[in-house]
Amino acid sequence: MKTLIANWKMNVGIRESVALARGTLLTLRGRKLIPELVICPSTIALSEVRKVVARSSVSLGAQNVFWESKGPYTGEISTRMLQEVGVSYVILGHSERRQELHETDEMIHKKVLYVLSEQMTPILCIGESKQQREAGQTQEVIRAQLISALSQVYVRGSERVLIAYEPVWAIGSGEASSVGEVIEIHQYIRSFLQELFPGVSSQQLPILYGGSVDGENAYGFLREEMIDGLLIGGASIKINQFNDIVEAAGEVLEAQGT
Ligand code: 13P
């Protein structure tokens, strides 16, 4: 299986989100093999987008959540509130939140635990900055982020935790990481996850790549067995680009006979 996650970030309001959701559904029409598809609109657009995707195979994700079910947390949103509008996935630890909102590893850890306890699926973002990469610290940084976010986490039954490797320097830069480099990091993450979660299948811990994915480079990533899917920002709000990415995923699934 291949998973595509569309992170619309803070780019589109309610009306545009509804149109985009309709367009996204059209990209699936007539295809025999379709990837697992999760769209993550802004919080305010979730309930309208839900109406569009309600009877489709598309799942809804949120871009953030708080770690308590209710209480005096002005401006925050809980898992229960998200569930009310049909959300089942939550992006956590995105580098934009780590940087702009100073989200710490500890906060991300609390969110991962909370989301899992509420039977939702976390999409945990990890990745190194340009400086860390240049200093040769990529593996060290990723390892530390995984340890901190996933300590005391148990993946039971059919639960899943999606890991999105998003090198910070590749996000929104138009400069995607090379396929070779992504494979190398994914191999590292995979073996570390096997250490952290012995006996848990890799299908329950898919590893996705994100960072300047577009209609042209998507196939190159998706055809690799080590890359379970893509987390897409900018190209997910350009319907032609996104259509090409869905098409690339379909071709890969067909070639794999899955
Ligand atoms: P871009 O695809 O725009 O580089 O964004 C990637 C991302 O941050 C997805 O979460």
Side-chain angles (χ1 to χ4, degrees):
M1 181 37 77
K2 295 286 176 183
T3 302
L4 298 180
I5 302 177
N7 178 6
W8 295 350
K9 307 192 179 182
M10 202 182 72
N11 286 316
V12 276
I14 300 173
R15 233 174 334 143
E16 261 186 285
S17 296
V18 166
L20 205 48
R22 290 198 181 117
T24 305
L25 284 188
L26 284 178
T27 69
L28 300 177
R29 197 173 273 182
R31 293 187 197 280
K32 274 197 300 241
L33 293 169
I34 52 169
E36 176 185 33
L37 191 54
V38 182
I39 55 181
C40 306
S42 63
T43 309
I44 201 161
L46 279 168
S47 65
E48 287 302 314
V49 169
R50 180 199 198 178
K51 293 178 193 162
V52 179
V53 301
R55 276 177 295 278
S56 74
S57 60
V58 174
S59 303
L60 263 191
Q63 298 176 16
N64 182 37
V65 75
F66 194 61
W67 58 77
E68 296 284 347
S69 59
K70 65 187 287 191
Y73 306 106
T74 303
E76 292 297 329
I77 187 141
S78 74
T79 49
R80 306 264 163 96
M81 295 169 186
L82 293 176
Q83 283 167 339
E84 270 188 72
V85 289
V87 168
S88 46
Y89 293 77
V90 189
I91 297 176
L92 297 175
H94 196 283
S95 66
E96 287 152 11
R97 294 196 61 83
R98 292 183 193 254
Q99 281 177 345
E100 304 293 329
L101 292 138
H102 307 291
E103 233 177 63
T104 63
D105 282 336
E106 194 193 338
M107 290 156 84
I108 295 160
H109 178 224
K110 284 199 220 175
K111 292 181 181 194
V112 172
L113 285 175
Y114 195 66
V115 163
L116 276 169
S117 76
E118 293 285 300
Q119 287 81 48
M120 296 172 89
T121 302
I123 302 162
L124 172 66
C125 301
I126 56 171
E128 81 287 2
S129 67
K130 194 176 169 69
Q131 293 90 313
Q132 290 164 332
R133 178 182 192 231
E134 282 165 1
Q137 295 168 339
T138 299
Q139 293 193 354
E140 201 180 306
V141 168
I142 284 170
R143 190 184 174 87
Q145 288 173 338
L146 286 171
I147 290 177
S148 126
L150 298 175
S151 71
Q152 298 151 351
V153 166
Y154 301 95
V155 182
R156 301 186 181 93
S158 59
E159 284 174 354
R160 294 162 83 212
V161 176
L162 276 59
I163 308 292
Y165 169 57
E166 295 207 301
V168 180
W169 49 271
I171 295 176
S173 65
E175 192 197 328
S177 185
S178 72
V179 174
E181 231 174 310
V182 173
I183 290 174
E184 203 178 298
I185 307 290
H186 279 213
Q187 263 159 351
Y188 177 75
I189 298 171
R190 175 62 63 213
S191 61
F192 191 52
L193 289 177
Q194 276 160 355
E195 259 178 60
L196 284 180
F197 301 102
V200 176
S201 75
S202 53
Q203 285 95 316
Q204 287 176 272
L205 297 164
I207 309 170
L208 280 53
Y209 168 74
S212 295
V213 170
D214 59 26
E216 283 189 10
N217 62 22
Y219 183 79
F221 290 114
L222 288 167
R223 73 172 167 202
E224 299 297 334
E225 208 187 319
M226 287 303 300
I227 303 175
D228 297 310
L230 299 168
L231 177 51
I232 307 136
S236 70
I237 55 170
K238 297 184 192 111
I239 210 64
N240 290 346
Q241 288 273 326
F242 198 67
N243 185 61
D244 290 350
I245 298 171
V246 172
E247 178 141 355
E251 277 173 38
V252 169
L253 291 173
E254 210 155 310
Q256 292 175 343
T258 44

